[in-house]
Amino acid sequence: MDNDTSRNIIVFGAGGRVGRAAVAEAVARGHRVTAVVRDPAAHGDLEGAGVALVRGDATDAASVAALAAGHDAAVNAAVRLDVPSVDFFTATAKALVAGLTEAGVGRLLTLGIATTLETAPGVRLMDAPDFPERYRTFSQGHVAEFELLTTEAGPGLDWLMVVPGIDLDAEAERTGGYRTAVGTVIDGPGRISHADLALALLDEIERPNHSRVQLAVSV
């Protein structure tokens, strides 16, 4: 990518596997990245050419606004497993909407979870009678996040929830391709690598084709 089309991208949750893949894909395409983590000392290997490593909190609107100023797009791959799912994901959504809007960032891609996708009209994977309750509880956090984004994000923030297949495989190799569907499970094994998920994220930043929906991605 030439310098005229390079972007400033901020990645929240950059220390996780998806966050790291998004950072790597963005840098490979010639973009400048701000990698936001809770503890920079634990992720020093992220810092390098094209990447600024910073401390931040995706649940704090003031932190989001201060860090995101001057950026063209944001990726949210942040997750906490030590607090209730609904609490974390709604707090993050509220902070991102407020902070990114204040900072003038016009595009947000946030990560969803495959269990919230529909298998039939009005029927989600998580609605199956035998679906484990603890996974249903975690999935509900992403449902609440999606609902909040739908109701609270104004016209100045073009957001998209990108939902990887049920088998988000850390060991899988990059294929360089993926399939998409809006809001529904994709037929097949439901597998995608972190690298191919990052490919989908960066494609939607460079060439936005979907807005304000759940975009399922799978190979």
Side-chain angles (χ1 to χ4, degrees), residues 124-145:
R124 302 165 300 189
L125 278 170
M126 61 184 283
D127 296 329
D130 58 348
F131 194 84
E133 190 58 34
R134 65 190 181 100
Y135 295 131
R136 194 195 320 273
T137 299
F138 182 81
S139 301
Q140 191 60 45
H142 286 286
V143 173
E145 177 190 13

Side-chain angles (χ1 to χ4, degrees), residues 76 110-116 142 145 160-164 168 214:
N76 175 36
T110 190
L111 269 293
I113 191 169
T115 52
T116 65
H142 286 286
E145 177 190 13
L160 177 67
M161 180 174 280
V162 179
V163 185
L168 180 55
Q214 286 183 305

